[in-house]
Amino acid sequence: MSEKAYKYRDIYDVIVIGAGHAGCEAALAPARMGLKVLALTVNLDHVAFMPCNPSLGGPGKSHIVREIDALGGEMAKNMDETMLQIRMLNTSKGPAVHGLRGQADKQKYHQRMKKLLEREKNVTLKQGLVEKIVAENNVAKGVITKTGIFYQGRAVIITTGTFLKGKVIIGEATFNAGPNQQYPANKLSESLKELGLELRRFKTGTPPRLNKNSIDFSNMIPQEGEKNLSFSFESKPKTIDEVICYLTYTSKESHRIIHENKDRTPLFSGDIEGVGPRYCPSIEDKVVRFPDKERHQLFLEPEGLETDEYYIAGLSSSLPYDVQIDLVRSIPGLETTEIMRPAYAIEYDCINPTQLKLTLETKEIEGLYSAGQINGTSGYEEAAGQGLVAGINAALKIKGQGQMILDRSEAYIGVLIDELVTKGTEEPYRIMTSRAEYRLLLRQDNADQRLTPIGYKIGLISKDRYKRFIKKLNLIKEAMEIIRKVQINPTEGVREKLKELESGDLSKPVTLEELLRRPELDYKKLKYFYQELPEYPEEIIEQLNIQVKYKGYIERQLVQVEQFKKMENQLIPDDMDYNNIKNLRLEAREKLNRIKPQSLGQASRISGVSPADISVLMIFMEQLKRGKK
């Protein structure tokens, strides 16, 4: 510790560096678990700020938002309270890939979350730029700010997003800055290196912001929202100040402008060294990589009710400002549009996430946790999910109550963290439904059934909420028993009604459950065949429809999960030295010693570790067990 640093009088249980989406969840969770938390942010006016699109959700991402809510986090509630529009995506496909997507009022989203932090009795929210993490004997002890204040803490959680040595790039113009031209955190990177952490350089970007009054919406396709939808299981559907989003496309002229200015594009000139996100590329990257595609979708989304700024999703860019003007005006509906803020790319330092445990605690420094984009992810949802896990685990460790690890069969958050820690990432990581092998079990509609008991156990779900949750489970069970018990005979009236509903004929008695398995029938239509069928809330009916129609697939995945759990439950000692296992290949030894997997299951997912290596490891562990006996 620097001798010049002033030791602050209070000692905190948890110190959170950053108050973005990861930082807010990382601060609120331990505070609500009864611990004293300090949240430090570069700028109090940007708490829970949305530097990119003013929205949450989509397949995979909405699953994480609902999982955060089921565990007792805040993101879903904050979204529901500040939402301008909501839609359900992928409704033509199965329930596993359905995804809510909502538009937020950016300023209100920030204001509500900031107020929550300010009024949470166990959180102290301060503006301060952290430059150094203090550790003694490889144990985190606190942080030192740019103003020379040493804050002491029993755990430190880094949630710095894209601020570490942030560099903004707009064509030939580059300057050191964080998102939205805030102060970058330049010295903290060096402190992390001194602690033994490996850093790498990533890149992300954001589109220009346009003046609503200069947009011709008549040349675009309206995208209206839906009613009676919400992210939080606790939110009641309410009337919102709904706004309309719009769809437009790039043109041939747009693509010509990009190709003609390719030599001025930092992405291709070599001026950008950071690795960008594969699944959210810049517009110049899309046009060059897909030359046969005549046009690309663009969505115009409002940034809020009290501003005329519009976000143009799909037009992320690092082109020079003058080229951006020509590019924007080549798009139908934007021929006379004024850019209020130019698009930019931002490079930043992040850590190699294989240096983390599944709790998101660093392997090098005890009590030091890392969450969000600093771990190599992209997206508000992925960040918030990690922040919640880091906050919970820091609190559990301080309280001596073990740890919370969500595995791949329990949550998308578990898939996200497992892949980061076990496999690492060479580019900004984005969650997708295709990453989850048990995605029919990990639906957004049943996140509460999977995770609310965990949230209740650790103290983030109230007794009242848990009672309502148990009541919901009982109603599902009650309804399921009724449809399994009631039989329908193939009377002339029943057969006529089935024909009217374009369903197959009936030749023998069947239960209501068997009828419900038919794709063209749902729970409400069963009323035609059984008048005494009880009325249930929509959320109960949704569960009945899904659980009955997908019963065979669900049962098959449950069997797969049992096999998966057997491997996950075979824990590997923390001090295992893989160099002592002679029959392991050299690559496997190196990877296993570096990752230090917690179980055979995790070891089997490490790139470079073969099934043969796992067999050798299983035999060695069995020998160890027998030796101990």
Side-chain angles (χ1 to χ4, degrees):
M1 189 187 81
S2 171
E3 294 181 2
K4 295 181 180 179
Y6 168 78
K7 190 180 288 186
Y8 195 71
R9 63 181 183 275
D10 294 332
I11 298 177
Y12 298 91
D13 292 310
V14 179
I15 297 174
V16 180
I17 306 172
H21 303 282
C24 290
E25 300 292 351
L28 287 170
R32 291 169 174 174
M33 293 168 71
L35 299 186
K36 188 177 179 181
V37 178
L38 170 65
L40 291 166
T41 179
V42 172
N43 189 337
L44 286 173
D45 295 329
H46 288 86
V47 171
F49 184 62
M50 292 177 157
C52 202
N53 53 323
S55 64
L56 291 179
K61 288 174 174 285
S62 66
H63 293 64
I64 288 181
V65 177
R66 293 208 119 195
E67 289 174 356
I68 291 168
D69 181 67
L71 286 166
E74 195 60 40
M75 176 174 263
K77 290 188 180 72
N78 206 56
M79 184 63 179
D80 288 342
E81 290 296 319
T82 60
M83 197 154 52
L84 299 177
Q85 188 198 80
I86 188 168
R87 301 172 68 195
M88 184 73 80
L89 306 182
N90 283 350
T91 52
S92 62
K93 300 178 182 178
V97 296
H98 289 178
L100 288 168
R101 190 170 192 272
Q103 299 295 135
D105 186 308
K106 181 181 287 191
Q107 192 61 24
K108 289 180 180 177
Y109 189 96
H110 145 72
Q111 289 170 344
R112 183 183 180 276
M113 191 69 89
K114 180 171 181 276
K115 188 182 292 184
L116 275 174
L117 288 168
E118 290 170 339
R119 296 183 181 181
E120 171 56 54
K121 65 178 181 179
N122 288 326
V123 172
T124 300
L125 179 63
K126 289 179 179 286
Q127 184 165 294
L129 180 61
V130 174
E131 293 193 334
K132 184 177 179 64
I133 293 170
V134 178
E136 295 176 8
N137 300 319
N138 292 329
V139 178
K141 295 295 182 181
V143 303
I144 297 175
T145 64
K146 186 178 180 69
T147 51
I149 306 296
F150 172 41
Y151 292 105
Q152 300 172 82
R154 299 167 69 187
V156 175
I157 306 175
I158 316 167
T159 65
T160 49
T162 61
F163 278 82
L164 292 185
K165 286 192 175 177
K167 183 172 82 169
V168 168
I169 302 164
I170 306 172
E172 297 92 346
T174 63
F175 49 91
N176 291 329
N180 213 40
Q181 299 187 19
Q182 298 181 74
Y183 284 121
N186 290 326
K187 291 189 177 180
L188 189 54
S189 286
E190 301 310 314
S191 178
L192 294 177
K193 287 179 184 177
E194 289 170 7
L195 293 174
L197 295 176
E198 175 196 340
L199 301 186
R200 66 261 302 269
R201 198 81 171 152
F202 276 3
K203 180 215 80 148
T204 188
T206 187
R209 304 319 196 261
L210 312 177
N211 190 318
K212 171 186 175 182
N213 303 303
S214 61
I215 300 172
D216 181 5
F217 293 110
S218 65
N219 282 338
M220 300 179 185
I221 305 166
Q223 306 287 298
E224 296 186 1
E226 299 175 48
K227 306 290 184 184
N228 301 320
L229 295 175
S230 59
F231 279 93
S232 173
F233 290 97
E234 289 290 280
S235 296
K236 294 179 181 179
K238 58 176 183 169
T239 303
I240 59 175
D241 297 318
E242 187 179 316
V243 297
I244 298 175
C245 299
Y246 293 87
L247 169 66
T248 186
Y249 295 87
T250 56
S251 64
K252 288 183 179 179
E253 176 65 9
S254 308
H255 296 200
R256 184 195 66 77
I257 291 168
I258 289 171
H259 283 295
E260 285 193 358
N261 289 279
K262 190 176 174 182
D263 61 325
R264 298 183 63 199
T265 305
L267 186 66
F268 301 113
S269 66
D271 292 335
I272 289 180
E273 58 177 290
V275 181
R278 181 187 310 183
Y279 301 103
C280 188
S282 65
I283 188 62
E284 53 265 36
D285 196 16
K286 285 189 281 190
V287 168
V288 171
R289 280 171 54 192
F290 306 106
D292 297 331
K293 193 162 186 178
E294 292 185 359
R295 61 180 190 172
H296 294 274
Q297 278 190 339
L298 303 171
F299 290 92
L300 273 84
E301 305 164 347
E303 297 239 313
L305 295 177
E306 303 301 322
T307 177
D308 284 338
E309 283 188 77
Y310 261 68
Y311 179 93
I312 180 164
L315 205 74
S316 174
S317 177
S318 60
L319 287 165
Y321 199 169
D322 59 297
V323 179
Q324 288 187 38
I325 295 170
D326 293 338
L327 174 62
V328 166
R329 291 180 176 176
S330 69
I331 295 165
L334 304 180
E335 291 84 356
T336 59
T337 295
E338 291 293 338
I339 295 177
M340 296 179 73
R341 305 183 201 225
Y344 63 87
I346 182 168
E347 287 187 344
Y348 55 95
D349 285 349
C350 56
I351 72 168
N352 181 347
T354 60
Q355 300 166 104
L356 303 173
K357 300 176 184 178
L358 289 169
T359 59
L360 296 181
E361 183 180 25
T362 61
K363 296 170 183 174
E364 291 290 331
I365 307 296
E366 186 178 351
L368 179 63
Y369 296 77
S370 179
Q373 281 187 268
I374 187 177
N375 289 346
T377 60
S378 67
Y380 311 142
E381 303 88 348
E382 291 92 334
Q386 293 173 72
L388 181 62
V389 169
I392 288 171
N393 278 309
L396 290 175
K397 181 165 186 172
I398 289 170
K399 296 169 82 172
Q401 295 177 356
Q403 58 189 18
M404 184 195 75
I405 295 176
L406 302 174
D407 68 42
R408 300 180 69 90
S409 68
E410 291 178 302
Y412 270 86
I413 296 174
V415 173
L416 164 69
I417 293 174
D418 179 66
E419 296 205 341
L420 289 173
V421 171
T422 306
K423 301 177 182 178
T425 182
E426 298 302 319
E427 61 189 29
Y429 179 100
R430 177 181 181 178
I431 197 67
M432 293 179 289
T433 54
S434 59
R435 296 188 188 272
E437 57 269 57
Y438 310 116
R439 58 181 172 271
L440 191 53
L441 302 179
L442 305 184
R443 307 183 308 275
Q444 62 169 18
D445 61 83
N446 72 352
D448 59 338
Q449 296 174 59
R450 293 184 277 116
L451 301 176
T452 294
I454 297 173
Y456 179 65
K457 183 180 178 181
I458 61 180
L460 290 178
I461 297 292
S462 68
K463 285 185 178 180
D464 286 343
R465 178 172 178 178
Y466 193 65
K467 284 179 182 177
R468 291 192 293 273
F469 166 70
I470 295 299
K471 182 180 178 181
K472 174 182 175 180
L473 294 186
N474 289 335
L475 285 175
I476 294 171
K477 183 180 178 182
E478 173 189 292
M480 197 67 78
E481 287 174 353
I482 291 170
I483 64 173
R484 283 173 179 166
K485 190 185 300 180
V486 175
Q487 275 203 336
I488 302 299
N489 294 313
T491 64
E492 187 176 336
V494 166
R495 296 175 68 187
E496 193 63 36
K497 192 63 185 178
L498 285 170
K499 185 178 180 181
E500 184 184 319
L501 294 171
E502 298 183 350
S503 188
D505 199 6
L506 196 63
S507 59
K508 62 179 181 179
V510 295
T511 63
L512 288 176
E513 181 185 16
E514 289 173 302
L515 274 183
L516 186 54
R517 285 180 195 157
R518 299 186 176 195
E520 64 277 358
L521 300 182
D522 58 32
Y523 180 82
K524 291 180 180 178
K525 288 177 182 175
L526 296 182
K527 195 95 171 176
Y528 294 127
F529 311 103
Y530 183 63
Q531 300 298 321
E532 292 79 23
L533 194 70
E535 298 284 345
Y536 287 107
E538 285 296 326
E539 62 177 356
I540 306 300
I541 292 172
E542 178 186 35
Q543 290 306 303
L544 290 172
N545 287 329
I546 292 172
Q547 289 182 28
V548 170
K549 292 183 186 300
Y550 294 90
K551 182 180 179 182
Y553 300 103
I554 290 172
E555 287 178 348
R556 195 179 307 160
Q557 288 211 334
L558 287 172
V559 171
Q560 293 170 352
V561 167
E562 280 184 30
Q563 296 168 345
F564 164 79
K565 290 282 189 183
K566 288 178 182 177
M567 293 283 281
E568 296 302 300
N569 291 334
Q570 294 187 56
L571 302 180
I572 300 174
D574 292 337
D575 58 354
M576 176 75 84
D577 185 352
Y578 297 94
N579 292 322
N580 293 332
I581 309 177
K582 294 180 181 179
N583 291 329
L584 276 180
R585 295 177 307 110
L586 288 175
E587 181 186 6
R589 289 184 198 178
E590 186 272 325
K591 294 283 182 65
L592 290 164
N593 275 320
R594 181 160 56 86
I595 303 295
K596 294 191 180 300
Q598 294 184 228
S599 68
L600 273 177
Q602 188 187 0
S604 70
R605 294 188 293 276
I606 296 173
S607 176
V609 177
S610 70
D613 296 319
I614 295 300
S615 297
V616 170
L617 184 55
M618 288 174 73
I619 294 169
F620 184 81
M621 287 176 63
E622 186 61 32
Q623 290 172 342
L624 277 181
K625 196 183 296 182
R626 289 176 183 174
K628 286 180 181 178
K629 286 181 181 178

